[in-house]
Amino acid sequence: MLGTNFRVGIPDLQDINVKVNNTLKINNFIFNKTASIPFDLDLLTAPKYNTTTYQYNPEFGNTVDFNILLQGTYTVTQSGTPGINSLIADLSIGGQTGSYMRTLFTVDGTGPTRDFNGNFTQSIILPQDSYLYPNSYKVVLYESSSNGSAGLTDLTASFAANTAWVVTTQNLSAQSTYYLDPTVFTQQNFPGNINQYSDYNSLLNNVYSNRVSNKYYDVDYSNDITNPVNFKSIISQSALYAQVQDSNYILGSAWDKARYSGTKLTSATYNRYTAGDISYAEEAVIDNYSDYFAVFSNNTSADPEYPGGSNFKLIAILDTAGQVYSLTGDNQYLSFVSNIFKKGTSAIAYAKDVSNQNTTTNLTVIEGGAKYQTILFNSGSNTPQYRVKWTNDINIGKTPVFFTTASINTLTDNDQDWLYPFLTNTDDNLGTIEYFRPDSENQNFYFYNKKTNTYPISADADGGRTLYVDTLFPISKYDYIRFGTTGSSSDSGSLDNTFEGLLLFNITNTPTYTTASATSSLSVTPVITSNFNPIYNTVVGSSNLNQNYRIFRRVPDETSVVVSTNPQINITSGEVGILIPENFNPNYDPVAIAKGAGLIS
């Protein structure tokens, strides 16, 4: 709250603070008041003070505190007829003196001594809050003699460091009874030409009009920090009401929310406003822009793992500064890529291709920094079979190869032992697995060979033999199993027509197995549950030899981004494309950045 000593302050234009930097020496009599005290050190670089003439010329009339302190030592010789002489300091205002005479020192030359020295201290102080008129001000020196003829010569005055002339502008005080009236008008007391200096007058015509409470009293601790001096008035309910707004403490008010309850803004998404958001205007609560985009060398079909989708082969990441981060496949930037291209967001592909289709928008990201890869699949109308070679056994054939179960969360290998070699490559009796190969008679069952990036068949060299180390076995937690048509008239669809197929499961726990001669099982959870039971009962029946399925894995890969549709960009030879996330910083042009980096033309 405002106090009774409150003053309205402004940046002042004519304060001074000057000191004496030189020793004053005078050789002749100074009865004519022409000598000046050399205040030549201007600490404020005051525009209204002259350090050569030692004259102060205020332009405006205003209230000031005016103080001059004169302190130092002197040596002097009296000449002429012996007498009593004094050195007088006076304030000359517009050339007029006599109002502020101060005797610095007096010497008595009527005795034998004519040389004198000593100390002096004097001050010239105008009455508090004196009004300063636009005029010229100077501190002058002159002599006073008892006989009118004696004079002071060879005068040397050395002023102390604290000798100073200080003028500080003040302004009108607020009325001491202002607090009795909640509406207080305080007019700025700005001096001089208001049009010329209005830029500095931030409080011109400023009005204080404080609202007072209807229930909270002003507690006055001005004289006692423990007990208020107006305690009795408060008890008797006759004290002054405090200058606070009661509305500040109303539940739900802006003050209450900001200071006590808290405020909350909500937004359904980053970067863009959607209906129902609680925000300022139609702006998203949070902007979350990416400063990165990707460079790709090609895009290929994501079939059969993600039917209809596309896999972009990334070779680098660029930032808005044009910095290139090369992607080599060692997954150094795996989390980087997955954070740029987040699942469920959209992306834009830009590239030069033979059909001049430069830009493809609204590509929904399925996986960023990952791809889907088949481990094995069974497809066809023949009874599925495969062969496996253990170190301690001959080349063993496995058939029939299909799943059955009595629970929607468990898939078993129909009381056979065909699943076991896909869960582990060791057995106490059989040793370790050397290789797999397809059956030469019924080629329905296929293994992925990561070394050749193929699915070998029996007609291949060595009968399509695939070493265990070149497979993606063992089947693990989080792998997918998708079922397609069985050929039965009661089901319809295709194994690779959609990502979900007829049934899609996710392996939720580590597979269960005991020995190579016992049944094994997988703990699974349905990914798609609509119309689940009728399809489940048909596809995963008790003895469905025509069962088709694909087991595949999400493989982390910094060079891959899978999207929902295939833009089929046939990139011009020698060119690359760029893949831009939906939240790329709108202040930058990714095409211009890629061109600047020399990646596209």
Side-chain angles (χ1 to χ4, degrees):
M1 293 301 171
L2 296 176
T4 56
N5 294 325
F6 175 80
R7 298 176 185 274
V8 179
I10 63 170
D12 183 67
L13 300 177
Q14 51 187 25
D15 289 0
I16 65 170
N17 185 353
V18 293
K19 294 180 176 294
V20 177
N21 194 39
N22 295 321
T23 299
L24 175 65
K25 293 185 177 182
I26 299 177
N27 295 321
N28 301 315
F29 302 155
I30 47 173
F31 291 101
N32 56 5
K33 305 178 183 179
T34 57
S36 301
I37 296 182
F39 289 98
D40 57 347
L41 183 60
D42 185 357
L43 300 183
L44 299 181
T45 315
K48 305 305 179 185
Y49 183 81
N50 191 312
T51 55
T52 302
T53 63
Y54 316 127
Q55 185 166 292
Y56 174 44
N57 295 282
E59 182 180 354
F60 316 120
N62 57 281
T63 308
V64 298
D65 290 337
F66 195 108
N67 297 277
I68 301 173
L69 175 63
L70 304 173
Q71 195 170 52
T73 61
Y74 67 90
T75 60
V76 67
T77 299
Q78 188 186 60
S79 301
T81 304
I84 299 175
N85 294 73
S86 300
L87 185 64
I88 309 298
D90 198 355
L91 181 63
S92 172
I93 304 177
Q96 300 297 316
T97 58
S99 298
Y100 300 98
M101 295 184 297
R102 300 291 185 268
T103 300
L104 297 184
F105 61 85
T106 299
V107 297
D108 186 355
T110 59
T113 302
R114 306 300 294 272
D115 297 317
F116 303 91
N117 60 76
N119 303 315
F120 61 86
T121 299
Q122 274 294 358
S123 60
I124 300 175
I125 302 175
L126 273 63
Q128 185 177 8
D129 294 345
S130 293
Y131 194 77
L132 184 70
Y133 292 92
N135 219 319
S136 62
Y137 295 77
K138 180 186 294 188
V139 182
V140 298
L141 295 173
Y142 59 91
E143 295 181 37
S144 173
S145 175
S146 60
N147 57 17
S149 62
L152 300 174
T153 60
D154 298 326
L155 169 64
T156 299
S158 297
F159 292 92
N162 58 344
T163 295
W165 181 4
V166 179
V167 178
T168 305
T169 301
Q170 299 293 334
N171 299 286
L172 293 178
S173 302
Q175 293 183 356
S176 60
T177 57
Y178 79 92
Y179 53 85
L180 300 178
D181 184 350
T183 303
V184 179
F185 297 91
T186 305
Q187 169 64 51
Q188 165 70 47
N189 178 32
F190 192 88
N193 186 334
I194 192 62
N195 294 323
Q196 181 181 357
Y197 295 99
S198 59
D199 288 345
Y200 301 96
N201 188 20
S202 60
L203 296 181
L204 176 64
N205 294 327
N206 188 57
V207 175
Y208 290 91
S209 182
N210 296 327
R211 290 169 56 186
V212 295
S213 173
N214 292 316
K215 56 183 177 181
Y216 298 114
Y217 293 113
D218 181 42
V219 183
D220 186 358
Y221 290 101
S222 59
N223 296 329
D224 190 330
I225 63 173
T226 305
N227 301 304
V229 296
N230 62 338
F231 180 75
K232 292 182 178 180
S233 299
I234 295 173
I235 296 301
S236 65
Q237 299 185 6
S238 61
L240 297 173
Y241 285 112
Q243 296 186 45
V244 297
Q245 302 177 30
D246 291 339
S247 59
N248 287 352
Y249 304 98
I250 295 176
L251 186 64
S253 68
W255 175 274
D256 171 75
K257 287 183 177 179
R259 189 164 187 175
Y260 302 108
S261 304
T263 57
K264 182 179 181 181
L265 301 178
T266 61
S267 183
T269 63
Y270 295 116
N271 304 330
R272 65 178 184 272
Y273 176 86
T274 56
D277 288 355
I278 302 175
S279 182
Y280 295 106
E282 292 189 357
E283 298 287 340
V285 174
I286 299 176
D287 289 333
N288 182 29
Y289 293 122
S290 172
D291 288 333
Y292 303 91
F293 62 97
V295 180
F296 66 90
S297 59
N298 61 71
N299 80 290
T300 57
S301 172
D303 294 344
E305 290 81 8
Y306 196 89
S310 176
N311 183 27
F312 282 89
K313 182 67 173 180
L314 308 187
I315 59 174
I317 296 293
L318 259 71
D319 63 19
T320 52
Q323 176 71 39
V324 179
Y325 304 86
S326 297
L327 303 178
T328 62
D330 61 1
N331 286 345
Q332 177 183 357
Y333 296 108
L334 180 63
S335 62
F336 201 21
V337 174
S338 62
N339 278 310
I340 297 171
F341 299 98
K342 293 183 178 180
K343 186 172 184 176
T345 62
S346 63
I348 298 172
Y350 174 90
K352 287 187 177 182
D353 69 6
V354 294
S355 62
N356 295 319
Q357 180 184 342
N358 289 336
T359 305
T360 304
T361 60
N362 298 323
L363 298 171
T364 301
V365 175
I366 303 302
E367 295 290 348
K371 62 183 178 183
Y372 294 117
Q373 178 59 58
T374 294
I375 302 172
L376 65 85
F377 72 96
N378 176 41
S379 178
S381 59
N382 295 322
T383 301
Q385 300 181 55
Y386 76 90
R387 307 192 73 81
V388 58
K389 175 64 172 69
W390 297 85
T391 55
N392 298 337
D393 203 350
I394 61 174
N395 189 352
I396 303 174
K398 297 292 183 181
T399 186
V401 183
F402 65 91
F403 288 100
T404 186
T405 184
S407 167
I408 64 173
N409 296 116
T410 304
L411 295 175
T412 64
D413 57 0
N414 59 292
D415 296 326
Q416 303 293 325
D417 56 1
W418 68 265
L419 184 60
Y420 183 86
F422 304 146
L423 306 182
T424 179
N425 72 328
T426 61
D427 181 78
D428 291 341
N429 297 319
L430 299 178
T432 59
I433 297 175
E434 293 182 358
Y435 62 83
F436 297 93
R437 71 174 180 84
D439 186 81
S440 59
E441 297 180 3
N442 297 319
Q443 178 78 51
N444 285 357
F445 207 79
Y446 300 86
F447 310 96
Y448 175 67
N449 187 321
K450 62 185 179 182
K451 182 177 181 180
T452 61
N453 192 29
T454 61
Y455 299 93
I457 61 176
S458 59
D460 292 339
D462 295 328
R465 187 179 295 182
T466 299
L467 298 178
Y468 185 87
V469 294
D470 293 331
T471 70
L472 292 180
F473 297 131
I475 295 172
S476 305
K477 183 179 180 181
Y478 305 121
D479 287 343
Y480 291 94
I481 304 179
R482 181 170 68 220
F483 289 91
T485 181
T486 64
S488 169
S489 60
S490 60
D491 66 56
S492 62
S494 170
L495 174 61
D496 298 323
N497 187 45
T498 64
F499 182 69
E500 296 83 10
L502 286 179
L503 289 176
L504 180 65
F505 293 92
N506 194 227
I507 299 176
T508 54
N509 289 305
T510 303
T512 302
Y513 54 87
T514 54
T515 66
S517 59
T519 187
S520 300
S521 63
L522 301 175
S523 296
V524 296
T525 298
V527 176
I528 303 298
T529 58
S530 60
N531 200 28
F532 177 80
N533 287 326
I535 299 175
Y536 173 80
N537 292 331
T538 300
V539 174
V540 190
S542 59
S543 58
N544 193 342
L545 299 180
N546 294 320
Q547 190 180 81
N548 292 339
Y549 53 84
R550 181 180 299 277
I551 301 178
F552 58 99
R553 176 174 299 161
R554 180 188 183 275
V555 180
D557 183 0
E558 68 178 11
T559 67
S560 293
V561 172
V562 179
V563 298
S564 59
T565 56
N566 188 354
Q568 297 180 346
I569 301 175
N570 184 13
I571 298 179
T572 304
S573 177
E575 293 282 346
V576 295
I578 58 176
L579 191 64
I580 309 161
E582 67 175 8
N583 65 331
F584 183 73
N585 193 326
N587 297 315
Y588 296 89
D589 181 359
V591 176
I593 294 172
K595 288 182 178 179
L599 296 174
I600 61 176
S601 60

